[in-house]
Every structure is written in C-alpha cells, then in structure tokens.
C-alpha cells in the first residue's frame, strides 16, 4: 500500500506523491480545509481502499462499492473538502487491463487526474432546456475503469483492444428537488493502423452505455423529462457530433454530450446512434453502431480509429426522498471487429480471403450513490 496526505498547494505545484512505498501511512485528524489523498497498490488495493473510506462514509457526496472494482491493482482516492466539512471524492482505478504496467506511469496519470479534479470550480452556471439557469456543484468523479481483450493473430501476434469508462457527477437544487448531471466518458480503443501486425487490422464495431436508476420507491427518483431527455436515433457523416441531451442546452461550465472518432480531422468517417428508454424514466440505453469509413466503392470498418462517446443523463430526485439521494447503475460495453488476410492453396490453385470476426471486451458495470450533502448547508 502506498499512502499520503497532501495539501492542495502541493498538488497544484507538482502533483507528486512524497510518501515512499515502504513508509507507513500517517494518521492525521480530519481538518475542514484539508485535502486528503491516498493510493493503494496490489491485489488487495480495493479492499484496503474500502477500509480506509469507512471513516469518511457519512461525509462523502459520491459513494461506490469498491468490491465491484476488486480486479484493480491500483486505487487512487482524493477527498476534496467542501465548505461544510463534507468531501467530494475522486476514485481512480488501474490494472493490467489499463495498458499501463509501470507503477510510476500510473501514479503520474493519477496525479494529473487529481490536479484536474481539485482545480474544478465548486460552482458553475448551467441551464437544461427551458429550465432556468442554476448553480451546479461537482460531487465527484470516477476515472478510469478499463477492461481489455487480447486478440491472437494467425501469425501469433497479440493485439489488445480496450473498453474504458469514466464519469463526472454534478448536482443542482430546483424548487421541487434536485437535478443530477451525470457525464459519461466511454472510449473504445484499438491500435493505430500503423501499429497493426502484417495482414491484420481491427476496428471498433459498436459501443453501448446504459444508466439505470435503482431508487425505491419509483416515484421519488427518475430521469429528467422534457426537452433534455434523450430519445430517438440519428446518424452523422462528420467525425464528431453533438447530440441527445444537450441539444439546445446552455451548459456553461458543464461538459457537453457528444460522440465521435478521436481523430476529428479525418474525413469520410460516419456512424449512427440510437437511444432507448428500456423502462421509461428509469432505464436508458445508448447505442452507437455502423462505425465506418466511407470509401470510393462502398465502405469499410473504421480501422485503427478510437471511438469516444459522452452521453449525459439527468436524474431528478424529489425533496421528500431520504437524503435527496440517487442510486444508479452504470454500464459500458464495446464490440470490435478484426480482419486477417489468409492465403489458401488447394488442388485448383491458391487464393486470398479476408475473414472477419467480432469480439467483445469485458463490460464495465458499477453502482453509485449520489448525495447533495452540502446543498442546504452553505
């Protein structure tokens, strides 16, 4: 286990963790203006992180069950103090699936995430649809859960594809309750074309995200309705597109929903998208499919292009709900397609074929609990 307590000033200066691996964690009282940072490594990192968080549980604006992340070998936690003594947490996860096997590089990535998180403004303005502009408060972030799938080529080369998910959480008070702004970052990643093995190529075929509200009773918490509720389907002939919830929404200070290929300057890329209310106002699924590159004659998969989506969901909870809390399950899936050039010879001569196969990376799924502890305690 690696552990440290650092000040915001130290993070903003260099983002370095000054505690060595063999040093025991320091015991320090919880001060109102103290930024707390911990890192845990090894197969028991999630278990150790869960144990550490127990004493802060009733002070967190965003809770997760760390047992759902037990496959991670690195867990980083930042607890950002709020004016009333509560904490907005950053949860950072890494493992062998993340593609970073060097502990030092993982720490540097975590420190970069921590700097970004502690520098977020504690309040920003934003309006949803025809709703009035409100003050939105960040209540936490999860970054970045990753799963991977190895593909072994006929030549014996190993190619790895990745399914990555992170989420930012915001809350604003309304007359009848609280709106939550859940901003999902989902990335399906493949190697660049120049890094493909000989006679092999791979592309993202489809990505899906799903958000499900778990709060009982049903009438207390649900997805926001009106002009900012996702619905329908569409297509894009451009590399990127703003779509869904944020159409006509003034999100000054809030991140915008969108989807597209990572290389936005590349022409000829296109995709389709579809949103579906699995259970109206409780369960929403996003699907991006037919990710392809337009060619002179027809089209092909978008070989070597990373596809990123940023769907947004807006849960609403009535003020009569205990603790004004929303409990939600989030899921991210990615399907890939790969093609190999195969030379075959028989009694009638030799020929070349290009068989394609589809594979899925392991899905990512976890449950979060969101609490606006500080809204009425400023």
């Amino acid at each position: 286990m690696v552990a440290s307590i650092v000040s915001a000033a130290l993070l903003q200066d260099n983002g370095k963790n000054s505690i060595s691996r063999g040093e025991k964690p320091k015991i320090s009282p919880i001060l109102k203006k103290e930024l707390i940072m911990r890192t845990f490594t090894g197969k028991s990192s999630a278990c150790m992180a869960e144990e550490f968080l127990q004493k802060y549980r009733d002070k967190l604006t965003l809770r997760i069950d760390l047992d759902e992340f037990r496959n991670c070998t690195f867990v980083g936690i930042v607890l950002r103090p709020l004016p009333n003594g509560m904490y907005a947490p950053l949860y950072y996860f890494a493992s062998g699936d993340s593609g970073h096997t060097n502990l030092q590089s993982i720490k540097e990535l975590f420190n970069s995430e921590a700097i970004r998180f502690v520098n977020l403004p504690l309040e920003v303005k934003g309006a949803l649809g025809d709703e009035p502009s409100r003050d939105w408060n960040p209540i936490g972030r999860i970054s970045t859960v990753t799963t991977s799938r190895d593909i072994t080529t006929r030549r014996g080369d190993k190619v790895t594809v990745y399914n990555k998910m992170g989420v930012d959480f915001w809350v604003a008070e309304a007359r009848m309750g609280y709106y939550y702004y859940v901003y999902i970052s989902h990335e399906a990643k493949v190697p660049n074309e120049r890094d493909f093995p000989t006679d092999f190529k791979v592309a993202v075929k489809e990505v899906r995200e799903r958000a499900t509200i778990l709060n009982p009773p049903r009438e207390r918490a649900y997805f926001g309705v009106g002009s900012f509720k996702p619905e329908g389907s569409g297509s894009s002939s451009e590399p990127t597109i703003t779509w869904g919830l944020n159409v006509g929404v003034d999100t000054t200070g809030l991140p915008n929903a969108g989807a597209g290929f990572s290389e936005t300057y590349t022409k000829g890329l296109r995709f389709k998208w579809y949103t579906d209310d699995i259970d109206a106002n409780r369960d929403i699924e996003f699907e991006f499919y037919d990710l392809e590159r337009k060619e002179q004659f027809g089209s092909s998969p978008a070989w070597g292009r990373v596809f990123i989506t940023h769907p947004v969901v807006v849960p609403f909870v009535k003020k009569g709900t205990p603790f004004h809390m929303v409990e939600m399950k989030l899921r991210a899936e990615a399907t890939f397609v790969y093609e190999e050039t195969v030379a075959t010879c028989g009694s009638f001569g030799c020929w070349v074929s290009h068989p394609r196969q589809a594979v899925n990376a392991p899905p990512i799924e976890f449950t979060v609990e969101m609490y606006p502890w500080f809204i009425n305690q400023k």
Side-chain angles (χ1 to χ4, degrees):
M1 178 179 72
V2 183
S4 64
I5 299 178
V6 297
S7 67
L10 176 60
L11 262 182
Q12 292 167 359
D13 286 342
N14 54 31
K16 300 297 182 182
N17 183 342
S18 61
I19 304 300
S20 64
R21 180 167 183 166
E23 191 172 344
K24 292 183 179 180
K26 297 179 181 179
I27 299 175
S28 177
I30 303 173
L31 302 178
K32 184 174 182 180
K33 295 184 178 180
E34 179 185 79
L35 178 72
I36 300 172
M37 181 168 138
R38 289 284 194 278
T39 58
F40 306 88
T41 61
K43 294 182 179 180
S44 301
S45 56
C47 181
M48 292 186 291
E50 181 71 44
E51 184 177 346
F52 159 73
L53 284 174
Q54 285 303 313
K55 64 179 178 180
Y56 300 100
R57 184 170 178 81
D58 292 337
K59 295 178 176 289
L60 299 177
T61 54
L62 184 72
R63 295 180 186 172
I64 59 175
D65 180 1
L66 280 161
D67 189 55
E68 295 183 307
F69 305 88
R70 57 187 174 274
N71 292 328
C72 293
T73 55
F74 179 95
V75 177
I77 294 174
V78 176
L79 302 182
R80 184 182 182 182
L82 300 171
N84 66 336
M86 301 300 177
Y87 290 94
L90 162 68
Y91 304 99
Y92 183 91
F93 301 97
S95 66
D97 286 339
S98 65
H100 301 284
T101 57
N102 182 280
L103 181 59
Q104 184 58 39
S105 64
I106 293 175
K107 287 182 181 179
E108 291 174 358
L109 289 170
F110 167 61
N111 286 333
S112 296
E113 285 279 343
I115 292 170
R116 172 182 175 272
F117 180 69
V118 300
N119 284 323
L120 279 175
L122 287 177
E123 193 170 85
V124 298
K125 292 285 187 180
L128 301 173
D130 297 329
E131 295 281 324
S133 180
R134 292 191 172 88
D135 295 324
W136 292 85
N137 305 99
I139 58 172
R141 172 169 169 77
I142 297 173
S143 177
T144 298
V145 189
T146 305
T147 64
S148 65
R149 173 72 182 266
D150 290 333
I151 302 170
T152 302
T153 71
R154 292 173 183 266
R155 293 173 176 267
D157 296 311
K158 183 182 290 185
V159 178
T160 305
V161 294
Y162 296 94
N163 183 30
K164 305 174 69 174
M165 183 186 191
V167 194
D168 291 275
F169 301 85
W170 305 70
V171 68
E173 185 175 11
R175 184 172 61 87
M176 299 296 293
Y178 301 90
Y179 286 115
Y180 291 85
Y181 195 87
V182 180
Y183 178 79
I184 300 170
S185 300
H186 184 201
E187 178 179 339
K189 186 176 182 180
V190 298
N192 190 283
E193 279 186 287
R194 63 176 176 267
D195 299 321
F196 288 166
T198 304
D199 301 331
F200 178 91
K201 46 191 175 182
V202 63
V204 182
K205 182 180 180 180
E206 182 177 316
V207 297
R208 296 167 300 280
E209 302 85 35
R210 187 164 181 168
T212 304
I213 292 178
L214 305 176
N215 284 41
R218 295 172 59 87
E219 67 273 9
R220 289 297 183 183
Y222 49 87
F223 288 113
V225 297
S227 59
F228 47 89
K229 178 180 177 180
E231 59 185 0
S233 60
S235 62
S236 172
S237 58
E238 299 295 330
T240 61
I241 182 173
T242 299
W243 61 277
L245 277 173
N246 288 79
V247 174
V249 176
D250 173 17
T251 56
T252 304
L254 293 174
N256 288 312
F261 294 91
S262 58
E263 298 186 53
T264 58
Y265 57 82
T266 305
K267 303 301 181 183
L269 299 175
R270 59 190 182 188
F271 63 93
K272 298 177 182 178
W273 61 268
Y274 176 73
T275 62
D276 185 25
D277 296 340
I278 308 300
D279 179 2
N281 289 322
R282 306 285 297 187
D283 197 344
I284 294 177
E285 186 171 81
F286 305 84
E287 180 181 8
F288 298 85
Y289 61 101
D290 287 352
L291 315 179
E292 58 187 25
R293 177 167 54 195
K294 186 178 180 181
E295 298 179 339
Q296 186 175 1
F297 301 102
S299 61
S300 72
W303 305 116
R305 305 301 183 197
V306 175
F307 194 79
I308 302 173
T309 71
H310 294 294
V312 172
V313 292
V314 183
F316 180 81
V317 60
K318 294 182 179 180
K319 287 190 173 179
T321 306
F323 309 114
H324 317 308
M325 181 266 288
V326 172
E327 183 180 14
M328 176 183 291
K329 179 177 289 186
L330 297 168
R331 182 180 177 90
E333 301 174 83
T335 300
F336 304 85
V337 61
Y338 65 93
E339 178 181 293
E340 295 188 79
T341 301
V342 179
T344 306
C345 292
S347 56
F348 298 100
C350 297
W351 62 93
V352 175
S353 61
H354 304 277
R356 291 181 185 175
Q357 296 187 57
V359 297
N360 295 315
I364 299 169
E365 185 173 80
F366 52 83
T367 303
V368 297
E369 295 178 355
M370 297 168 274
Y371 297 86
W373 292 123
F374 55 88
I375 287 284
N376 293 319
Q377 302 181 40
K378 295 179 181 180

